[in-house]
Amino acid sequence: MRKYIIALTLLLLIAVLSSCNKVPSPEDRFSDYTKLWNQQKFAKMYDEFLTKDAKKEVSKDEFVNRYTKIYNDLEVAKLKVKYAKPKEATKTKEDSLELPFSVKMNTVAGPIEFDQTALIVKEERKDAENWYVDWHPGFIFPDLEAQDKISFAGQPAVRGEILDRNGSALAKNGSAFEIGLIPEKMGDKPDESIAKLAQQLQITPERIEKALSASWVKPNLFVPVGKIAETEGELLETLYEIPGVDKKNANARVYPYSAAAAHLIGYTGPITADELEKLADQGYSANDMIGKRGLEQVLDKRLKGENGLRIFIKKADGTQKMLAEKEVQDGENIKLTIDASLQQQIFTSLTGEAGASSALDPITGETLALVSSPSFDPNKMSLGMPAAELKALEENEQQPLLNRFKSNYVPGSVIKPITASIALTAGTLTPDKTINVNGLNWQPDKSWGDYVVTRVTDPHTPVNLEKALLYSDNIYFAQAALGLGKDKLADGFKQFGFDKKLSYLYPMEASTFGNLDSDIKVADSGYGQGQVEVNILHLSAAYTPLLNNGNLIRPILTMDEEKGQIWKKEIVSGANAAKISQALLQVVESPQGTAHTGKISGLSIAGKTGTAELKLKQGESGSELGWFVGYKTTAPHLLISMMVENVQDRGGSHVPVEKVKNIFSMGAQAGE
């Protein structure tokens, strides 16, 4: 028994020793190598799998660094190195054989895939034999040799242009003047040239000196220090008087309508490090220009396009071997519904004022103009506005950098047709229902304390809906709101799109009506005070049911959007919409109407005025917003809403009425 146990132990020991000395198959070894490759464990690949001869040709650092750099530069993803064990391996010698493998990967320029063959060699190390990979640079890419380099050639996409409805450019690709110095032409007083140039360009002398001290600068070379728009001809002439100054033409984004459309269109600028970090995985690079504001920002991905890129092997003799190529895709040209001429007219009408305006085709919903005043020059912003000029804009009390057409404001009496529509639809009001209040002040009972609703005019007669709109009677609409009650009034406002973001290309603030938690707030909301706030485009849209049989039309901004979309169907009956519209026609036509100064001979204009008071409590004086919404009643394809700030002591709502009148008059003269 003892002899049996000893014999069995010896057999087991021999088996263990035999298994320890067994050489793995070359196929298994190469399979392990490809697994490490897929995991990009290049150091382990080198240490454990490369032949002695391969290690003589390439050091570990060179091997690891080359793989790592190439894969990082190419942004390699989904790497798949595949070795399929063949039925019969090709033996070149007893101690070597060739094994086929395939490589697939995604790169920044598209997919790359290839087939290759590896030579596997048996070598003895530390008294043990094993199989090793006779690596060479062709494993990375076929035809790649030790002295070759991987190179890139990019083709930038052309940024798409933004056009108005008639094809006029609102943002286009043009050129600017790059201003610089030629050192050898600066004369014997270079410091004077630097100082004068810095003053004219509104930059620091240190910035110019830094540019001139760059390592590449030579006496006869042009050294760029800044850019100016092509329109600044007078400035260019002044710059030419400075010794050493010269110019070159440079590509630039150009905004032909400048300040008139600046808040709408925005501008581009160099991508920042923070922006690149957020957008790097979306095809952006450090050299890109990117939309910074307005539609340039909103539409950036559509406008940007996709840069083309070629990846190739650059051979030592200068020849090239293509690896991957991504075709350039230029950005999309986008056609807006905006009428650039109307945009310019409205902006010009607001010169010197702080305010906003929107123009809408109330039948199709096409936005014809979106204006914020005052404004800024997007051409300078895109090229790099001087710090002093930018600071002046930021400190300007009229806030030219504030986009007013996307912001909310207290509407005042221009809300009254909406209150009327809500009450008529709810059945709490009829067009013929009258109120008979003597005097300018009213409150329902003493529970309101000192708080009263005040109207501008006492008509000395019972007031129905038509007269209430004609005289813009706050008391009538306060009572109409109270008749609705907070729940029905809130539901009605929501039907008109309040408290919900407008589904619109350009992001707008949602119009709101606040907290209707008291009768005073309900009453005030009925005539556009309280906590009611609207953006001017939504206000324009809110008047579209008056011209579309009670249907609220959705505003659109691009020509490829469906026209005449119904946002909310029949929120007021067609009959009641017509009655309100007829009353608004009298607001302009009748001598007693609050917008009678806006009457245009031979043109049928309906409209509603509003003066919103901005004050902390009743009895105080404060600033006022003047409003007017006007539209053509025949061929009704133009509706204009306008808000002007600080109209107190200047005629209130008559300020925007006159401006809108002039715009309609210009259209009439043009034969529209």
Side-chain angles (χ1 to χ4, degrees), residues 294-306:
L295 290 176
E296 287 277 33
Q297 184 179 51
V298 172
L299 298 169
D300 192 72
K301 290 179 183 176
R302 292 172 62 183
L303 293 166
K304 175 183 178 294
E306 293 187 25

Side-chain angles (χ1 to χ4, degrees), residues 159 171 253 255 261-269 289-297 300 376-384 390 401:
R159 190 172 181 85
R253 193 68 164 174
Y255 303 97
H263 287 282
L264 174 61
I265 303 303
Y267 56 90
T268 61
M289 299 292 283
I290 189 172
K292 297 290 186 178
R293 187 170 178 152
L295 290 176
E296 287 277 33
Q297 184 179 51
D300 192 72
F376 58 90
D377 185 349
N379 294 291
K380 288 187 176 182
M381 285 289 199
S382 188
L383 295 174
L390 181 59
L401 297 178

